[in-house]
Every structure is written in C-alpha cells, then in structure tokens.
Amino acid sequence: MKTDIILCGVGGQGILSIATVIGEAAMKENLYIKQAEVHGMSQRGGDVHSNLRISSNPICSDLIPLGKADVIISMEPMEALRYLPYLSKDGWLITSSTPFVNIPNYPDIELIQADLQSVKNVIVLDILQTAKENGVHRSANMILLGAAQKAIGIEYSKLEEAIRRIFSRKGEAVVEANIKALAIGKGAQK
C-alpha cells in the first residue's frame, strides 16, 4: 500500500486536522507515514498545505514530486488548482466548491470550476452548505475527509476511531459532530 496525499487550503479551514486524523488512522494500521507542512500566513488567510505520504514500506522523503500525488484534498477550489500539477494522471481530486475570496483579484469561480471538472477523477462538494444544513458547521473539513476515504485507502472505521481519539478532549459533542460529518462525506464518494 502506498498513498501520497496533498492537503491544501487557507489558514483556519482545518487542513492540519485532516492530516492529523489520517496520520493517526494510518499509524493504527501499522503503516509508515511522513508529513511535511507549510503554514503560509495562515492567520491572514494564507496558503496552508501538507504533503502526507503513507506506505506499508519505509518512506525516504516527506515531499511528493510533481505528477505523483495519488490524492489532493482541498478546502478551497483555487488552492486545488494551485496543486493540480502534483496530481498523477489517475489520481483523485476531492475539493470544496466554495471559494475563500482572500485576494482582490480572485479568479472567476466559473473558470475555476471548469478547470476542476476537467480532472479525470474529481469530487467537488459544497461542504460549507452541507455542514450548515446538517448542523455540523465547524466540521466541514471532515465532510471532505469522508468523501476522500476510498481514494486514501484507509478503512472508514479507522478514520472514525482516529476522530474519537483526537477530538475526545474537546467533548463528546465535538466528537459526534465530526463523526457525523465524516459519514456525510462518505455518502458523497464515487
């Protein structure tokens, strides 16, 4: 088993929480894991991304080369496009459809959506609206993780267990909201 994942978005959207859940689940499956994070000006809405490499064999580098990512999980559509050159030809792109307009010259969202739809394997979800409709406002990132579960190749139950361990200190309501969001996302898988 080998899965190279790029997680990307804007500071504060929960990218690093997704990475933590995946990493925790992978370790419980006795897989090797390497992670490299870049925190942009996250407090000001800057770029945040993480390279996450999971394998049943030892991993030499924590960085994913161009054209080699198996999965891109993006909380923001323009950030998905930024990392698209890293996606392998048969890789999966799972992204939010809702832009985080943090620059004055943000590109036309229709053009971004058209570029995203040109990817062979793509899931585009309005995770913010879905989270709002389901009463899990602060767990939109877990909806995206649920939608990416098959592409990642880690058992759903392992992700659920990881959420329980990671968020347990925040209380049962937070744990249950994140598990509910994960299940909603799983329902959106192709």
Side-chain angles (χ1 to χ4, degrees), residues 6-166:
I6 292 179
L7 300 132
C8 55
V10 174
Q13 290 185 307
I15 290 300
L16 301 180
S17 292
I18 294 173
T20 301
V21 170
I22 295 171
E24 176 80 10
M27 286 191 300
K28 288 297 180 183
E29 287 197 8
N30 294 316
L31 297 170
Y32 292 92
I33 182 169
K34 288 233 182 210
Q35 181 177 1
E37 298 174 0
V38 174
H39 306 265
M41 295 176 55
S42 58
Q43 292 182 351
R44 295 187 181 150
D47 169 43
V48 174
H49 76 272
S50 177
N51 283 238
L52 188 57
R53 304 186 86 184
I54 302 167
S55 178
S56 51
N57 298 314
I59 304 165
C60 296
S61 173
D62 53 0
L63 298 178
I64 300 169
L66 286 172
K68 299 295 182 183
D70 299 299
V71 183
I72 294 175
I73 301 172
S74 181
M75 291 290 295
E76 207 284 330
M78 187 175 73
E79 293 300 323
L81 287 182
R82 181 191 311 250
Y83 292 99
L84 211 48
Y86 288 88
L87 190 64
S88 69
K89 65 180 178 77
D90 292 321
W92 277 89
L93 171 62
I94 297 97
T95 184
S96 171
S97 63
T98 308
F100 184 93
V101 181
N102 57 351
I103 55 174
N105 58 344
Y106 192 94
D108 183 337
I109 191 63
E110 286 80 25
L111 294 175
I112 292 172
Q113 297 293 351
D115 284 343
L116 294 175
Q117 292 302 327
S118 71
V119 175
K120 179 180 176 183
N121 300 308
V122 63
I123 298 173
V124 180
L125 300 170
D126 186 344
I127 59 171
L128 297 180
Q129 184 62 36
T130 302
K132 184 178 177 183
E133 289 170 357
N134 287 279
V136 291
H137 306 339
R138 298 180 55 105
S139 302
N141 60 336
M142 292 300 130
I143 294 173
L144 210 55
L145 176 57
Q149 178 264 323
K150 262 190 207 173
I152 293 168
I154 293 180
E155 290 179 36
Y156 178 83
S157 63
K158 299 293 184 192
L159 293 173
E160 195 175 68
E161 290 169 17
I163 287 172
R164 288 191 187 284
R165 283 189 299 275
I166 291 164

